[in-house]
Amino acid sequence: MEDGISKLQTKADQRLIADYYDDLSRSFDQRISEQDRVRIRKAFEFANEAHAGVKRKSGEPYIIHPIAVANIVSAEIGLGATSIIAAILHDVVEDTDYTLTDMENLFGAKVARIVDGLTKLSDEMTAQHDSKQAINFRKMLMTLSDDVRVILIKLADRLHNMRTLESMAPHKQLKIAAETLYIFAPLAHRLGLYAIKTELEDLSLKYKQPETYNLIKFRLHSQKERRDYLVDQFITPIQAELAKEGINFTISGRLKSIYSIWNKMQSKGVSFDEIYDLMAIRIVFRPNDSRSEKRQCFDILSLITDIYKPKPDRIRDWITIPKANGYEALHVTVMGPAGKWVEVQIRTERMDAIAERGFAAHYKYKGDSSAETELDRWLEKIREMLQNPESDALEFLDEFKMNLYSREIVVFTPKGKMVNLPKGATVTDFAYEIHTDLGNHCIGAKINHKLMPMSHVLSSGDQVEILTSKSQRPDIEWLKFITTAKAKSKIKQAFKLDKRQHLEQGREIIEEKLKAFNIKPTSDTLKKITAYYNLSNKDQLYAQIGMGFIDFNDIENILKSRRQSKLAKYWKLSFGKKENDEEVEFDLPDKKIDKKNTFILKENPEETNYTLAKCCQPIPGENVLGYLTSSNHVVIHKRNCPVANKLMSQHGDRIITAEWTKFKKRSYLTRLKMNGFDRVGIVSEITNIISKLNNINMRTVMFDTHDGIFEGELFLYIHNVEDLNKLIARLMKIKGIEQVERMERVED
């Protein structure tokens, strides 16, 4: 795994290791007794000897990594001696000749159990078609369901790897960053580790899209002085009022993270300058023991809204109903000076500790067990998912991910019991959440006394009464509209899906369809179809079609579109040279693609070793990466494509870096959306600009005007992203145009 083995550590290495260990020691507080400090020292000396002479890619002694992970576990998460020892030892079994039995004999069963949960499976134990990433993650979660410390240490391990990612090869940086964004950042969020979640997201963006990351970072830095001035102006009257009331408090400005800013720019389609909530003001106070924390938080809220007018729809009470990850606070958005909306967060010291350190902070506040109970409920859901024998590792990873990051709603039973569900949950999800039998026999519900179908999406505050029938049985169609992993696993269990039977059915369906087109089901043909559906192998394709999850009529459309593409001037998918030989259109070049080198995208009509992904439709010049569907074929995705994110998280070993050459001949269909104030001649100006640009052709122009406002859509053929950006810049200079944006998905 690491290189540079030598017999002895140099004096410089020894000094560096001693400095890191001293940093770890300084993080200990009253949690760590003298006896525990001796145990930790013993673990350090053992691990140092076990890893002696091994170097990281950065050139540092390998032992630096476990010590740094232990420091994060101690200082940033706040765990105790057992976790610190396990963090120091977490790579010993995987990377040296020592065994779990050695760990147990030297450091006890608990430490050995945690280390086992953190140790990856060997290559021999993973099936040929399974994703190692997914299987290892499932193994880790099996231990998590018994001991949450496993995942907390794994998050610390991932955080240190992300902090030192610059020494890795570019394709590995992409894989690790995407995996972090897909699974580990949401996991930190779910466990309430806000600070770690934020850093993981920012570091992932830094390596996935360095230009975007650096641009936002620069903009934030350049506005710092003005921001500080506005914050001081805003908090001065609040400080005076809180001091007058004798409240012991701290007040500070919290800058929105780089990733959050980028995410909002993407989801809302706005520029950096249009994001109004770059700053939030946080008030953390020491409560008076004689009154409830909730009442004191609302008293402070009242003081603030006496000074600044609140935005009526932006008061969030996370104290009465805490978030599922234990987060408690009052949020209010108010109109501050200079006409800017400002979010204010009000917390007690206890709430603040939980917000930053998540469930680990509850060791300090054992009197309040509400959040631990919530954690127990979440762990119980994971146990149920792990017990489902039908789900393979990739399916499990998808279902687990589904329950991590979704925003939550609160609904009520007829007797007033509160139930937390992910946003988008349906009547059927609610039924399975209450009881499996209720889900299996559900036929609908009365929601707020109105009859609704099983597929109805619930809203926060709904009161739900499930209606059942003894004759009702689970239906495979339910899987198309339910959202929770629990409901999905229960339906699949009820069916006891026979994987072999579905594989055979899927194989027959595909072979029959291909036969109709005189195409043999060669491995390359199947790889193309598998890649189209973003699946990992042909068995998965057979199973999905056999179970009815993929409409096999789609295959007919794919094949038709591929036949047409040979005659099209503009790219859709190119597959070969001969027009009359159906099998040749799936032929691939013999030359293998080197994963370690950057894949160069050439503008060559004869090029058959890459295709552009339909999910994100990249155009030349955009930041892209490649996903190897075979040793000699690659699918090109945009770096911020959600499908690519998933592929990197499940099959990171197939990801390669990719770069465009200059594209000048072939054109790519692109859709622009625009709006602004209507005036005579504006459409003519827009079309004139496009027609004067030699390298852009119009396919369709559509405009709609109402009440003096126009909305328009342009379907254009362009050569590369540079030409597109020039066009957008020219269009934005037209008087009356307010916004021009590119829409991602386009059907030709």
Side-chain angles (χ1 to χ4, degrees), residues 279-337:
M279 286 294 296
I281 303 301
R282 183 172 298 161
I283 297 168
V284 179
F285 70 98
R286 184 167 297 165
N288 186 328
D289 293 339
S290 62
R291 293 165 64 223
S292 78
E293 288 186 350
K294 180 179 170 180
R295 278 186 62 190
Q296 292 174 72
C297 287
F298 273 96
D299 286 346
I300 292 173
L301 174 68
S302 179
L303 286 173
I304 291 164
T305 53
D306 285 345
I307 301 166
Y308 299 113
K309 293 292 176 244
K311 196 175 185 184
D313 61 337
R314 291 291 298 173
I315 295 176
R316 299 284 183 265
D317 176 7
W318 301 114
I319 299 173
T320 306
I321 304 174
K323 288 187 180 181
N325 60 15
Y327 180 83
E328 293 175 70
L330 262 187
H331 290 193
V332 60
T333 300
V334 297
M335 179 59 76

Side-chain angles (χ1 to χ4, degrees), residues 619-620 662-664 672 686 689-690 692-696 716 718-734 740:
I619 58 176
K662 194 77 174 173
F663 277 55
K664 292 181 180 178
L672 292 183
I686 291 167
I689 282 177
I690 298 168
K692 283 175 184 173
L693 294 170
N694 297 327
N695 46 5
I696 296 180
L716 311 167
I718 62 110
H719 293 304
N720 53 56
V721 77
E722 189 181 331
D723 293 344
L724 179 65
N725 290 338
K726 280 180 187 173
L727 172 63
I728 291 172
R730 292 279 296 275
L731 292 174
M732 284 299 291
K733 288 178 182 176
I734 296 174
V740 181

